[in-house]
Amino acid sequence: MRRSGLATTLAAIALTFGGCAALPKAGPSTARAWITTGDRSQLLAEQGPSTFMEVDDSASAPLLVVDAAERHQTMVGFGAAITDASAWLIQTKLSPQQRDQLMGELFGRGEGGLGFSCTRVTIGASDFSLDHYSLDDAPGGAPDPELKSFSIERPAQYVFPTVRQALAINRDLKVMASPWSAPAWMKTTNSLVKGQLKSEAYPVYAEFFARYVKAASKVGVPTDYLSIQNEPDFEPENYPGMRWSALDRARFFGENLGPVFQRERIKTRILDWDHNWDHPEQPLAVLADARARAVVSGVAWHCYGGDVSAQAQVAAAHPDKDVFFTECSGGQWSPKFDESFSWMMSKLIIGSTRGGARGVLMWNLALDEAYGPHAGGCGDCRGVVTIDSRTGAVERNQEYYAFGHASRFVKPGAVRIGSPAKVGDLETVAFLNRDGGRVLIVLNGGQTPSAFAVADGGRRFRATIPARSAATLVW
């Protein structure tokens, strides 16, 4: 990350606090700020600490009121998926020293650490695997109703060691697991690609999930959250996938998964949907089923269709259910840093959390210089970081900086508090950490710098943020 001194800050197009002198350390009466500009001249660059002032005249600039008495969801945190591709790169293309440095930077809360506190793993292969497989590939594709061929050997190679290292770095880390497909012998296509779950396979698939959760736990990998199907309204052409209707998912939750997890005393929380914003009627249909509703603890969302407002629509209908945002990928279809950075800040960091998300996840934690490895699917997706498979050099992408504006400062257990959704070109979201610290994230999505004032109770300060830039303010 680049840092700038106070003189540089005041001279350049950085966030500035009117009339405030720099202090060596932020205290109860000071605010600190970090900024990323769309032109990349500053990347999570820290500004000088600034003293709060009593400002009577706030009419000259938009006022952003932070209200700690207005309480919303409690945060699990921010992070990215440890896919097969990500774990393979981290474990095989980095030296032990490089690996420790990168993992500490992504999951640690020390100097320069992003503090990622949630991740997602795949149960079997996704498109970002080296090949297609499930955790129960019986010889010859034969049915295996007793799950004699069940094995966690594949994730134990690269994914589980990576997760365990992340857990050792950050004890707050929560792990979500999702399958892209049931084992082929359970499906109508007898293939990992396309198809649906056979009705007669429902009972054994519930046992499969219980087997996975218990086996992963035995090797030190918890399953805090589980979705039963990644993107159940989509059948990919060339990588594992499975269509699963809302009514059939509801039946599986109520008749199969719920009873098995209860019998096995599994406390993993179940998330439905795990797909785009464009079909809120699907999770609503699942939650309309009383037996399914008793099993499902929340709804997971992706970014590839629809609008983030769908989260709030479902949450309003079921305020007792959690909201999670579990997948979005950047890629070369949006290569310009300022455009994709601003979109992620607006829709994922600000929009998704304002829509109730307790956790927000990007897709691949790491990919290589050729946007892989992958086995089908997306050929130009970006990871949060890019690892050069030839040298181990790490490039930090716009996803890194967008998520860093939240993950580094909003701690697990923080509560989202009141702030304006939008004032002119400014979008905001605010949080209260358990230690009483406030975090305000501000995006200026406009084409010109924007001055504003921040109010927290009787305290005030003024600031200016450049165009196409984001700032995190902490006090």
Side-chain angles (χ1 to χ4, degrees):
M1 274 74 66
R2 304 180 188 179
R3 290 179 174 271
S4 61
L6 183 61
T8 302
T9 299
L10 294 175
I13 53 167
L15 184 79
T16 57
F17 297 86
C20 301
L23 300 175
K25 184 178 179 181
S29 61
T30 62
R32 299 171 69 187
W34 287 258
I35 190 166
T36 296
T37 56
D39 63 3
R40 287 186 279 192
S41 62
Q42 297 196 75
L43 299 169
L44 271 175
E46 184 175 358
Q47 315 302 301
S50 301
T51 306
F52 281 98
M53 301 171 61
E54 293 295 334
V55 178
D56 296 325
D57 179 19
S58 59
S60 60
L63 182 64
L64 308 181
V65 178
V66 175
D67 183 3
E70 180 186 326
R71 304 294 178 96
H72 299 280
Q73 76 271 23
T74 300
M75 298 301 297
V76 171
F78 302 82
I82 299 175
T83 58
D84 286 345
S86 298
W88 181 78
L89 286 166
I90 290 168
Q91 295 296 325
T92 68
K93 299 301 179 181
L94 299 178
S95 69
Q97 183 178 5
Q98 288 173 321
R99 184 184 312 123
D100 290 347
Q101 191 281 327
L102 178 60
M103 292 293 287
E105 180 180 336
L106 293 172
F107 293 96
R109 289 206 174 274
E111 180 67 23
L114 290 196
F116 278 177
S117 58
C118 54
T119 191
R120 185 179 182 216
V121 299
T122 68
I123 302 175
S126 71
D127 46 334
F128 283 93
S129 297
L130 277 68
D131 59 275
H132 297 167
Y133 68 93
S134 82
L135 302 190
D136 196 313
D137 292 327
D144 184 26
E146 296 181 5
L147 300 177
K148 292 180 180 179
S149 294
F150 179 89
S151 172
I152 59 168
E153 179 181 354
R154 290 296 298 271
Q157 284 182 288
Y158 305 117
V159 173
F160 286 175
T162 309
V163 174
R164 285 194 296 266
Q165 183 173 4
L167 283 162
I169 294 167
N170 186 349
R171 295 181 180 179
D172 290 323
L173 184 73
K174 301 300 181 187
V175 181
M176 176 194 179
S178 308
W180 265 236
S181 172
W185 54 269
M186 295 188 190
K187 296 174 62 181
T188 56
T189 55
N190 291 311
S191 169
L192 295 176
V193 179
K194 295 190 173 183
Q196 301 177 37
L197 190 66
K198 297 174 183 177
S199 59
E200 62 266 29
Y202 277 43
V204 69
Y205 201 30
E207 300 288 350
F208 172 95
F209 281 118
R211 184 78 63 91
Y212 170 80
V213 171
K214 291 189 292 182
S217 179
K218 284 182 180 179
V219 296
V221 175
T223 306
D224 300 290
Y225 297 91
L226 171 75
S227 72
I228 61 170
Q229 178 58 43
N230 175 73
E231 300 189 344
D233 198 38
F234 177 49
E235 293 176 80
E237 292 287 338
N238 58 4
Y239 64 92
M242 189 171 80
R243 192 176 296 274
W244 205 344
S245 73
L247 294 181
D248 287 339
R249 296 197 310 275
R251 177 164 64 91
F252 180 75
F253 287 132
E255 296 180 5
N256 305 111
L257 191 67
V260 168
F261 274 27
Q262 184 176 28
R263 184 196 73 207
E264 298 296 325
R265 299 182 180 180
I266 292 174
K267 303 299 183 183
T268 296
R269 297 187 177 190
I270 308 301
L271 304 178
D272 182 49
W273 192 221
D274 211 5
H275 206 167
N276 293 333
W277 293 317
D278 55 354
H279 288 293
E281 72 278 2
Q282 286 239 11
L284 286 171
V286 169
L287 293 173
D289 182 289
R291 289 186 301 175
R293 190 167 62 249
V295 174
V296 173
S297 71
V299 176
W301 299 93
H302 296 185
C303 75
Y304 309 113
D307 185 76
V308 66
S309 59
Q311 293 181 190
Q313 176 187 343
V314 175
H318 296 278
D320 60 323
K321 300 302 181 185
D322 287 339
V323 180
F324 280 84
F325 181 87
T326 52
E327 185 184 320
C328 191
S329 182
Q332 291 308 102
W333 57 86
S334 181
K336 292 184 178 178
F337 183 96
D338 63 337
E339 291 179 359
S340 53
F341 173 80
S342 294
W343 188 93
M344 283 182 280
M345 291 299 304
S346 174
K347 301 299 183 183
L348 307 186
I349 302 303
I350 296 175
S352 185
T353 55
R354 293 194 70 91
R358 299 187 61 210
V360 183
L361 285 161
M362 284 302 289
W363 185 211
N364 291 279
L365 182 67
L367 291 176
D368 68 16
E369 69 281 359
Y371 313 109
H374 65 99
C378 181
D380 59 354
C381 285
R382 277 192 307 267
V384 172
V385 298
T386 298
I387 295 175
D388 190 313
S389 62
R390 300 154 298 189
T391 66
V394 174
E395 178 182 359
R396 294 153 187 84
N397 298 320
Q398 43 266 62
E399 293 77 11
Y400 176 101
Y401 296 104
F403 272 63
H405 269 281
S407 63
R408 184 182 289 182
F409 309 100
V410 180
K411 309 296 176 60
V415 176
R416 184 170 69 85
I417 58 177
S419 72
K422 191 171 177 67
V423 178
D425 289 328
L426 303 179
E427 299 176 52
T428 86
V429 67
F431 302 89
L432 177 69
N433 281 321
R434 287 183 291 187
D435 63 2
R438 276 75 159 156
V439 179
L440 175 66
I441 300 171
V442 182
L443 169 69
N444 178 10
Q447 300 298 324
T448 58
S450 181
F452 60 93
V454 176
D456 175 19
R459 300 182 294 177
R460 304 284 192 276
F461 60 82
R462 301 182 202 175
T464 299
I465 186 171
R468 309 290 277 182
S469 301
T472 300
L473 297 87
V474 178
W475 64 94

